[in-house]
Amino acid sequence: MARITVRVEPRHADNSPCPHPVKPSGKPRDPNSACTGRSSFAVVCSVHGDIGDVHHVKVLAEPAARAHRQEHRAALASAHHPAPDPA
């Protein structure tokens, strides 16, 4: 079974990923790069893709990522320990 990852990913204003080094302000460290700067953060799951709305502060996106991770853990636990058959 493949590993499921849930991460907080920085995004540009057009919602594309922003993997470039940026300053704390969100502006690119290299002024000559094509990066427009980070404007938000998205929670991204390797199974479900983008989760919920984008967040403008990383600290607000982290609880959403943690909650989604817990959903996967709960689903995995229930799959390994099914409820007993009442028959």
Side-chain angles (χ1 to χ4, degrees):
M1 179 162 78
R3 178 178 218 137
I4 297 171
T5 59
V6 179
R7 68 186 189 286
V8 176
E9 179 179 85
R11 297 285 178 95
H12 294 125
D14 67 355
N15 206 29
S16 63
C18 180
H20 324 288
V22 294
K23 298 177 184 177
S25 66
K27 295 182 178 168
R29 288 204 182 271
D30 179 8
N32 298 324
S33 75
C35 178
T36 58
R38 178 187 63 222
S39 67
S40 61
F41 295 90
V43 177
V44 181
C45 173
S46 61
V47 174
H48 300 112
D50 288 2
I51 304 297
D53 297 327
V54 295
H55 304 272
H56 295 288
V57 183
K58 186 175 184 177
V59 72
L60 296 177
E62 290 168 345
R66 197 170 22 253
H68 189 72
R69 237 178 255 116
Q70 283 301 111
E71 289 174 15
H72 279 290
R73 285 186 186 126
L76 185 61
S78 66
H80 286 303
H81 302 291
D85 189 12

